[in-house]
Amino acid sequence: MEKTKKYILPEKEIPEQWYNIQADMPNPMLPPLHPGTKQPIGPADLAALFPMELIKQEVSQDRWIDIPEEVRDVYKLWRPTPLFRATNFEKLLDTPAKIYYKYEGVSPAGSHKPNTAVPQAYYNKMEGVKKITTETGAGQWGSALSFACNHFGIDLEVYMVKISYEQKPYRKFMMNTWGANVFSSPTNRTESGRKILAEDPDSPGSLGIAISEAVERAATNNDTKYSLGSVLNHVLMHQTVIGLESIKQMELAGDFPDIVIGCFGGGSNFAGISFPFLGLNFREGKNVRCIAAEPSSCPKLTKGEFRYDFGDTVGLTPLIPMYTLGHTFMPAPIHAGGLRYHGAGAIVSQLLKDKLIEAQSFHQIECFEAGVKFARSEGIIPAPESNHAIACAVKEALKAKEEGTPKTILFNLSGHGNFDMSAYDAYFSGKLVEHHLTEEELHADLKKLNTPIIQ
Ligand SMILES: *Cc1c(COP(=O)(O)O)cnc(C)c1O
């Protein structure tokens, strides 16, 4: 193996501000609507769920927002994260493309998610919140928020999708280690959970259902707020530390990307790596292609519709203008648990609508193929979610080879897969199944929506 090139920034280079892309978007995103009145929601509508500082960030039009010193101090545990040139992977692919990756798996929870968990816990703490509720799929977000809440001394209640709770217990134990209470969702602790269980006592749960439960608990308890790990504007903004550091590290490498790639669940790590580069497109006339890589079995960006829809299954959240498969869509049980979500954040949706970003979808098996090649050439075993970004990088690198154009590709390696070895085992033993969505399955839940398609 060739010596891997690693670009590290000193601690003082941790960004002092987050980048708010709302300041630079050519077309602003459409407002979220109150599900009852269908009028744009105001800060007061969100006050039961979120601390005021996060609500302000959600609607802010300021380009730069200061990162509190207390938050930067926690970031120092693992930031700035390293950026690598994947020279051995390039050789294996025999491509003229240069491939770089930003590695977010060095955080205590093993993914990019603590980048927003920490400021969210911090602002809740500042406003006197005693308890936070949240949902988690495979456990990445739950573990990140457990780490953050533990740091700031806040109680945490996590609703974990039942199928993951049963099949992937290790992240539950991580959450317990950081002091969180974890429940297998659907539970009978909430109206929402009881409603789902009445219809299907054996429901495997879903992210949408778990969100309904966590939101309901926060909305009905005064000292309790709710926290979301993706989709919302403030979450995407907190993740921009990834791209802001990457810009400096690409400079250190004496290079600049033609293509920036992130895998896509609700949009947070994709936004994190790509928004600062999009900002350069908007303000400095750069021409970086930003590609979101999603699973073919949950293809909201490539096959969904742009319309108002709920963020959760039961319909408790505001109506969000988003690319969606319908809030009742139940994604196939693929191993990339963090990508099994029916919708996309409003900002990312608007950018896609305006053709300022691109989206591509990938099948589960090609993602694991790409991930294993990566692990065997670069060492790090990627999270199944991150494998989608790698599959996309492979596709673009091979295209560069075909066309004979030496492109520079940067992707976000959103997390490590050390707790996902059962998924790799399924892949190696040929047990991974490919999920081909039929046209009927694709449209069934969209047909149930009564909001118009946004033209
Ligand atoms: C949660 C998660 C994702 C998907 O969520 P986004 O908000 O779309 O980033 C991707 N990768 C990893 C490792 C995750 O934990």
Side-chain angles (χ1 to χ4, degrees), residues 110-113 139-141 171 229-231 235-236 239 263-271 300 337-339 383-386 412-416:
S111 76
H112 64 289
K113 291 206 167 77
Q140 287 272 21
W141 170 241
R171 284 204 172 269
S230 186
V231 178
V235 180
L236 274 51
Q239 293 294 351
C263 66
F264 198 97
S268 77
N269 91 91
F270 168 74
K300 60 257 183 172
L339 308 187
E385 291 85 358
S386 316
N412 190 37
L413 186 53
S414 53
H416 68 64

Side-chain angles (χ1 to χ4, degrees), residues 213-264:
E213 292 208 89
V215 166
E216 184 185 321
R217 289 283 295 180
T220 52
N221 288 284
N222 275 338
D223 62 347
T224 305
K225 298 265 188 242
Y226 166 72
S227 168
L228 189 63
S230 186
V231 178
L232 296 178
N233 305 341
H234 65 269
V235 180
L236 274 51
M237 186 187 73
H238 296 157
Q239 293 294 351
T240 58
V241 289
I242 302 173
L244 292 168
E245 288 177 8
S246 298
I247 289 174
K248 288 185 181 166
Q249 286 164 309
M250 290 304 294
E251 249 168 53
L252 275 184
D255 223 333
F256 190 78
D258 300 297
I259 301 173
V260 170
I261 299 167
C263 66
F264 198 97

Side-chain angles (χ1 to χ4, degrees), residues 2-20:
E2 191 174 303
K3 188 168 178 301
T4 301
K5 295 195 185 85
K6 180 175 179 182
Y7 302 94
I8 321 176
L9 294 171
E11 200 172 272
K12 65 176 172 33
E13 296 284 352
I14 293 174
E16 287 173 0
Q17 294 169 317
W18 292 296
Y19 170 56
N20 179 15

Side-chain angles (χ1 to χ4, degrees), residues 372-420:
V372 169
K373 271 187 194 144
F374 182 82
R376 289 181 182 172
S377 51
E378 297 296 321
I380 298 165
I381 300 176
E385 291 85 358
S386 316
N387 284 345
H388 292 71
I390 302 178
C392 184
V394 169
K395 184 174 163 195
E396 292 297 328
L398 296 181
K399 199 167 120 199
K401 179 175 163 183
E402 238 166 65
E403 294 171 352
T405 47
K407 290 276 192 285
T408 299
I409 299 169
L410 167 66
F411 73 84
N412 190 37
L413 186 53
S414 53
H416 68 64
N418 296 1
F419 293 100
D420 302 280

